[in-house]
Structures are given as structure tokens and as C-alpha cells.
Amino acid sequence: MFHFSRFRNTSALLYLHITTTVFRCVSTMSGTMRAVNFEPGGPENLRIGSVPVPKLREKEVLLKVYATAINRADTLQRKGLYPPPPGESDILGLEAVGIVEKLGSGCVKTWKIGDRVMALLPGGGNAEFVASREELLMPVPDNMEFNQAAAIPEVWLTAFQLLFLVGKVKKNDTVLIHAGGSGVGTAAVQLCRQFGARAIVVAGSQEKIDFAKSLGAEEGFNYKESMFEPKVLKHTDGKGVDLILDCVGGSFFSQNINSIATEGTWVVYGLMGGRTIDTGDHLGKILQKRITIVGSTLRARSIQYKESLIAEFTQQALPHFSSGEFRPIIDTTLPLDSIQEAHTLMESNKTTGKIVLQVRDQVKDEL
């Protein structure tokens, strides 16, 4: 049976709390913090080191981080394939959750010291403190623990962006979601359900498909067992899907082009299946079906774009977490010190939902 969240190495978490308390006190007083460091390569090159606490720039807020998470982008950066935007932290981590510790100069938003917030970051989240632009913060939903909230910022904002800002999804549209058991995939399924679109997922196991269905997907297909293209066409009575959310790229290109409906939109936001495509009459089919293919990223977009995205998400989607209609899906929670295990687990492709990293003991630190 699938569990929404499970702690691995529970004894390691208890040991971590006991052995790092003194270190945290000393490091904070000296202006340093614990953070994930790495040399380009495999997970074995990840380590926890001591680095300076970030200095705030204009309109930045310092967060005391309680929980963070990892994403595919982190594994690519670790390999030396996806550097942070110029001028941003080279510490891994595209999201963090915690408490406002300090406000920088020029801050004009309503945040105050002690607020519980979630941050979308260009980097730096896998650390005890992180600097975030004030515009890129969201309130932690009511009655939600930090570990749960850490599974929201990157994947839910990505899914929201792909569906509504880029894909222009409409009510009753059929949406084909690749990696339906991933963080983005499980968020996209819930967003489709809530806003009236019909989700079909592609995943690598029946367990992931069944879980996606429990979140609201109406059908799912295992790409490891057979081609999904004929099944998608059968399910849509030969029409094809109106929108594809594609994080795979090359290896699924031919099946996607046959699965999409006339005048459908195809959003490519990842290349897990390769950057190149096989030969064939692809341009002819794109022309004939009047397909719109759009590439989309989030990390390198402007502050203004991200601010608009977060404002729209905060208004339209965030309240559904407090009501229980949306839930962040967490596969595993690990202590920050287990960063090597977290990356190894991510690259196994066996997870459903997010891998969260607990940075601090949440009960004792909040009292």
C-alpha cells in the first residue's frame, strides 16, 4: 500500500537533531550555516559543508529554513549540466519553507519577521538559511507542517504554469500528462480535476497509474508495457488529446505527435528521454494537424513573470490546500544529511511525488 509520506532512517533523524544542535548555535553566531555542497558528478559527490549565511540584496528576505526538497533540476546541476542563473546561489535547491528571519532594504510587501512562508528559488534552498525575493514568497497553508509545504512551490507552480499560462487549458479539455507519478504530474492531475479538465497519465508502473487515478486521472497507461499512442486514441475516440505536458522529449516524440488532436497544444518542459528525435514525417504532421509546440522553463524566467505566476497561483490554487481539496504528495522525507540518498532515490525513478529534506526539528524549534 502506498504511503503519502514515510520517514526513512528515523534513528538518523533523531541522531541528527542531537548532534547538530550545538553546531547550529555556533555556526549561526559566527555567520555561517550548513548547506549542501558538491563537485560535479554522482550522488557520492554531495556533502554537507559550512558556508556563509547569505547577505541580503535589495528586496530580499532571509528565511530560516525548516524544510526543502529536491527536483530533477538539482540532479542535472549536480552533474554540471544545469548551472544556476547568473548571479544566483550555486547551492542546490529550488524551494524552501520556513520562517522570515530578516527583511532586507527596500522590502515593501506585507511580510514580517516570524511569518511562515514558502519560497520559489533560483537556487540555495538546500541550506539552513536562504535569501529570497519578497515577491517570490507564499504563505504556508493553514494547519500545514513545514515538511508538507516543502512539496508545494516548485512542482505546483510548474504544473499551474504549464496548464494555465502556457497550455491555456480549458474546461473539458483532455490533457496527456507524462510522468504522472512525479511531483509535477501528481500536481497537474489535481489541478485538472479541480478546474474541469480530463487528465490521462503515462507512467512506468501500475502503482503510479492507480495512484494518479485516486487523485482524479480518468485513465493511465504504462509505457514500459506497451505503446501509449493507440490507447490514447482509443480512449479519446480517435480524436487525440487537446494538451500534452511533456517532460520526456525525444523518445516519446513520435507517439506524442500521433496522440495529439488537431489544433492541440504540446508543452515540452523536460528532456528526460533525450534531446533528439528519430526521422519521419514529423513536420508534415505538425502542419497537417496545426499543432502548437511550446518549450517552457521556470527557473530562468524573470522576477516579474514569477511574481505574476505566484500571485495567480496564490489566489486561484493555494486556498484549496487549506480546504483539503489539494494535497502535496510526498514519497519520502529524509534529513538534510541524507542528501546522497535523496539524489540516488530521485534517479531511481521509483518515487511517487516529492522527496522532502528536513533541515530542522520542526516541533522544538517552533516552541
Side-chain angles (χ1 to χ4, degrees), residues 28 33 53-54 62-65 101 124 127-131 360:
T28 302
M33 66 177 183
V53 172
L62 184 68
L63 301 187
K64 182 180 182 180
V65 179
E101 180 84 358
E128 290 185 319
F129 293 91
V130 69
R360 303 175 190 273

Side-chain angles (χ1 to χ4, degrees), residues 137-158:
L137 298 177
M138 299 173 284
V140 173
D142 295 339
N143 303 317
M144 183 175 287
E145 295 181 353
F146 287 133
N147 282 355
Q148 292 176 289
I152 293 177
E154 177 68 19
V155 296
W156 278 86
L157 286 167
T158 296

Side-chain angles (χ1 to χ4, degrees), residues 269-300:
Y269 71 100
L271 299 170
M272 293 171 57
R275 307 172 70 90
T276 60
I277 60 176
D278 58 4
T279 58
D281 186 25
H282 301 313
L283 291 178
K285 291 179 180 178
I286 292 170
L287 182 63
Q288 181 183 22
K289 296 172 103 174
R290 300 184 296 279
I291 299 168
T292 299
I293 301 179
V294 186
S296 181
T297 62
L298 181 55
R299 185 182 192 183

